[in-house]
Amino acid sequence: MSSENDKTSILESRNVTVGNKRTSMRLEPQMWDSLEKIARTEGVTINSLCTQIDLRRGPVGLTSATRVFIISYFRHLVRQHEMERGLTAPGLVPRINGLKGASLARWVLDTVVPSEGLGRASRRG
């Protein structure tokens, strides 16, 4: 049995000004936090950043383009970090038992997927 509360979205709606037009976007709280950090790092406002994304997004919606921008921004930082540390070859990053990825992946999983949610994956199989 599902209640109406089960269908509540985790997305947050916020207003942004793109160019001279006010619009709203619905993003996950983590995406909003990331967008704020990127804007702060780059020394611009979220509105300015969203305007730049909008100018380059092509036929893709602004919300989708913003998510791709955020992921691409952080992917670039990871690649830059790997190059600076000489970790560009496969197998040079320390691995974790049971996870074919770096320790950063484990930290992200632990942050995004609370441990109480781990039982769901085993029930699918």
Side-chain angles (χ1 to χ4, degrees):
M1 300 269 177
S2 68
S3 69
E4 200 60 34
N5 291 339
D6 294 337
K7 298 177 185 178
T8 303
S9 175
I10 62 164
L11 300 176
E12 289 181 11
S13 290
R14 294 193 193 175
N15 291 321
V16 293
T17 302
V18 176
N20 293 323
K21 181 183 168 194
R22 189 175 170 130
T23 189
S24 65
M25 285 197 310
R26 288 171 41 92
L27 292 170
E28 297 78 5
Q30 297 89 341
M31 290 292 183
W32 283 117
D33 290 345
S34 296
L35 192 60
E36 289 169 357
K37 287 177 185 173
I38 293 169
R40 198 170 38 252
T41 299
E42 297 297 324
V44 298
T45 64
I46 287 180
N47 292 336
S48 174
L49 195 52
C50 288
T51 298
Q52 292 302 311
I53 294 167
D54 186 57
L55 291 171
R56 292 166 174 80
R57 69 183 170 91
V60 178
L62 178 61
T63 302
S64 293
T66 301
R67 282 188 180 97
V68 170
F69 168 79
I70 292 166
I71 291 168
S72 298
Y73 187 91
F74 287 112
R75 285 181 71 196
H76 174 75
L77 288 178
V78 168
R79 280 194 300 271
Q80 189 176 10
H81 174 76
E82 288 173 343
M83 288 181 0
E84 288 171 2
R85 299 192 70 204
L87 300 174
T88 55
L92 292 180
V93 178
R95 305 293 180 186
I96 296 172
N97 291 338
L99 182 65
K100 295 181 179 179
S103 58
L104 177 60
R106 171 64 70 192
W107 179 83
V108 172
L109 283 169
D110 289 345
T111 302
V112 176
V113 183
S115 59
E116 61 269 9
L118 292 177
R120 286 183 288 181
S122 62
R123 281 186 248 151
R124 280 188 234 150

